[in-house]
Amino acid sequence: MKNYEWSLDALYKGYDDPIFLEDIEKLKNWKCTLSDVCQKLQKETKEIKLHEGLALLEKIREYTYRLKMYTQLRLSVDSNDEQNNVWSYTVNNLIADISYYESMVWNILLDIEDLESLIETDAKARDYRFLLHEKIQKRKYDLNEQQEQILSMLYPTGIKAFSDMYYALTGNAKANFRGEVLPLTKVKNMCHDTCKEVRKDAFLAELKAYEAIAEPLSFAISAIKSQQLKEARLRGYKDPLEKMLIESRMRKNTLDVMMKSIEAYLPMFRTYLKKKASLLGYAQGLPWYEIYATLGECGFHFSIEECNAYILKHFKPVSEHLYQMVKRAFEEDWIDYPTRKGKQPGAFCENLGWIKESRMITNYNYTLSDIVTVAHELGHAFHGMMIEDQPILNREYCMPLAETASTFNENIIYNALAADMNAKDRLLVLDTQLSALCQNILDIYARFQFEKAVFEHVEKGFLNASQLCELMKEALLKSFGDGLDPKYLHPYRWIIKVHYYLPDIAYYNFPYTFGALFSRGLYAKYQAEGSTFIPKYEALLQATTTNTVEDVARIAGIDITTDTFWKQSLQSIVDQMQEFLKLIEKE
């Protein structure tokens, strides 16, 4: 019987694989020889510096990335395997040492005389025109050589170690559900159960379980956010948000316009939630354990086989490229589905451009939302496929655009489900979609406000678990308002979301809202234009690694620097909410 766990054999056959060990040795040798290589490169002509420097950066990126991904992927599904922890630590330490020399090579390139002119005339440089211009602009945020080396050396035992601690604690956490001790991830997934009593009991068990790991994780989040703040300012950024926006290739004005548009629509979302709470029998707004509840008992149960078949059926008419990639992903075991001990919660996708594949994890629980989650992660894989022929240094898209293809896929599945179901089940599908949109708009807005508050507080000192819980409750109420029952908030949302513990990224929250609203606009264009829109959509995805967010949007004829687009997308959600409530009242 198929176990539906992924296969990583296309990367390496194991830690004893001669190819894996050979690649580890290459990293160790580079650690010893890169200093001499850099000194030699420094003495070459500007053309040789440019060509050999870029070639060296490509080689470093390829080997460090694939070794890091292999160890990180194995660790993500089994944090209890000692080898996974040992090898992840080893690889991260080697990469930290090599990253110093990687920075040195970039400095040699950026010091080339008349580099701006060379970029326009040299074929190799033209491949990296956008990246090189971006590096030139961001160079003012670089530290001196000694400072960069110190940060690089401290990374594995500092901010990265706190991040790894998060995975270990959450991956092994247990919850006592009705007298049975279960993995926390399994109890957490019960928020989608068809029974209200199960949802409530699971929620209370989940909160109780977080008490056991809250204090150590308060140290982790305080340390991570404190270091992110200090390093951002050390480099010359105003704060981590400015750093994130620059790395996101996104103007502050674009974020501000999107957030102000959301704030204008918060009352309408709250009205919907209050009405939904009333229909479910709650007078004080929705208790958090009902945030995913549907207006009626949702009895959908999708096996993994049914999930995969359904996704293939509905992706095929949209894009043959998407269909063929998804078919391959299912046949070649790119996805790790089941929840098990030591596996991290949630879902993610990693693009593995050097083998032209991706790997995804979910914690599959046979619900409607699980089908949507699988489709979502396959969107990330499709995005990876669209950029895999780019030169290796051009395979990184910015965070706001990271959710474009994934959320576009969600729209495909939600619309297919709504069309395929009978009248009663269609309402349940629409309800599920609207609940997800509330999360992408209201919950993300709350997470953004919470992270802002955390950065303000860690500047003054350490935040303990109770303080973090209070900040989270304040953020939830600021966003959801009276749409939530204040007696049943979720104060531990700061533990649930892995994004707060990512060592290299702050504010990985607003990109989800951007993705939800941007993809909704893209999907509306697909509905209006049909299959003729798909080549434009694929070209847009291909352009995401070498353009600003604003320029990518223009490929689809969208201006995201004014509130018109954002309010249109938000209004389309509100219209859907109002239509849904009218249909419910007729039932």
Side-chain angles (χ1 to χ4, degrees), residues 407-544:
T407 316
F408 190 87
N409 275 10
E410 287 188 23
N411 284 310
I412 295 172
I413 293 301
Y414 275 125
N415 281 273
L417 286 163
D420 288 348
M421 300 294 180
N422 58 40
K424 179 185 175 184
D425 287 346
R426 179 175 181 272
L427 286 172
L428 294 174
V429 170
L430 290 173
D431 198 2
T432 303
Q433 183 181 16
L434 290 171
S435 293
L437 285 165
C438 282
Q439 292 296 297
N440 275 324
I441 307 303
L442 299 183
D443 188 38
I444 298 299
Y445 182 80
R447 284 161 57 184
F448 179 77
Q449 298 301 325
F450 170 79
E451 192 158 3
K452 277 177 63 178
V454 169
F455 276 119
E456 290 168 5
H457 282 75
V458 295
E459 192 167 11
K460 301 169 187 174
F462 170 75
L463 276 166
N464 62 35
S466 62
Q467 289 173 305
L468 288 162
C469 287
E470 286 303 312
L471 289 179
M472 180 54 75
K473 286 191 284 187
E474 288 172 14
L476 288 170
L477 290 173
K478 185 173 183 178
S479 181
F480 289 86
D482 57 1
L484 287 181
D485 183 341
K487 293 180 181 178
Y488 289 100
L489 299 178
H490 197 321
Y492 291 108
R493 298 289 289 169
W494 58 274
I495 293 180
I496 289 176
K497 295 302 173 185
V498 62
H499 307 81
Y500 295 129
Y501 300 86
L502 298 175
D504 303 314
I505 304 170
Y507 287 104
Y508 193 4
N509 35 57
F510 70 80
Y512 283 96
T513 302
F514 182 100
L517 296 176
F518 185 53
S519 292
R520 195 170 177 92
L522 290 176
Y523 194 76
K525 282 183 169 289
Y526 164 65
Q527 288 179 309
E529 300 175 24
S531 59
T532 59
F533 177 74
I534 295 303
K536 190 186 299 184
Y537 168 65
E538 292 179 353
L540 178 150
L541 293 178
Q542 289 165 358
T544 53

Side-chain angles (χ1 to χ4, degrees), residues 20 55 98 138 168-169 184 212 249 307 313 330 377 492 495:
F20 174 80
I98 289 168
K138 290 168 67 175
L169 288 174
L184 179 57
R249 299 164 181 167
C307 166
K313 175 185 175 182
F330 292 155
E377 299 308 329
Y492 291 108
I495 293 180

Side-chain angles (χ1 to χ4, degrees), residues 304-321:
I304 295 172
E305 295 88 347
E306 289 169 331
C307 166
N308 293 355
Y310 193 84
I311 287 172
L312 282 171
K313 175 185 175 182
H314 290 286
F315 280 5
K316 187 171 179 58
V318 176
S319 164
E320 183 64 20
H321 292 144

Side-chain angles (χ1 to χ4, degrees), residues 2-14 69-70 73-74 77 328-338 340 350 352 355 357-361:
K2 193 174 177 68
N3 63 17
Y4 286 104
E5 296 177 9
W6 62 18
S7 170
L8 301 180
D9 286 353
L11 285 72
Y12 299 103
K13 298 293 193 299
M69 280 300 99
Y70 182 66
L73 288 172
R74 287 194 57 168
V77 295
R328 185 183 172 204
F330 292 155
E331 291 173 350
E332 297 179 11
D333 299 323
W334 291 8
I335 306 176
D336 195 281
Y337 293 86
R340 58 190 183 277
E350 288 289 353
L352 311 174
I355 59 170
E357 297 179 14
S358 290
R359 289 296 182 273
M360 293 148 272
I361 73 166

Side-chain angles (χ1 to χ4, degrees), residues 196 199 275-282 286 290 293-296:
K196 177 172 68 175
R199 294 193 295 268
K275 180 64 175 176
K276 180 173 177 178
S278 176
L279 290 168
L280 286 167
Y282 301 101
L286 275 178
E290 295 289 55
T294 52
L295 293 170

Side-chain angles (χ1 to χ4, degrees), residues 319-370:
S319 164
E320 183 64 20
H321 292 144
L322 175 61
Y323 170 78
Q324 291 296 338
M325 185 221 72
V326 171
K327 187 169 179 287
R328 185 183 172 204
F330 292 155
E331 291 173 350
E332 297 179 11
D333 299 323
W334 291 8
I335 306 176
D336 195 281
Y337 293 86
T339 298
R340 58 190 183 277
K341 186 178 179 182
K343 182 177 179 179
Q344 77 171 65
F348 71 75
C349 172
E350 288 289 353
N351 301 138
L352 311 174
W354 74 94
I355 59 170
K356 299 194 172 184
E357 297 179 14
S358 290
R359 289 296 182 273
M360 293 148 272
I361 73 166
T362 73
N363 281 273
Y364 198 85
N365 201 38
Y366 308 101
T367 68
L368 179 70
S369 67
D370 287 300

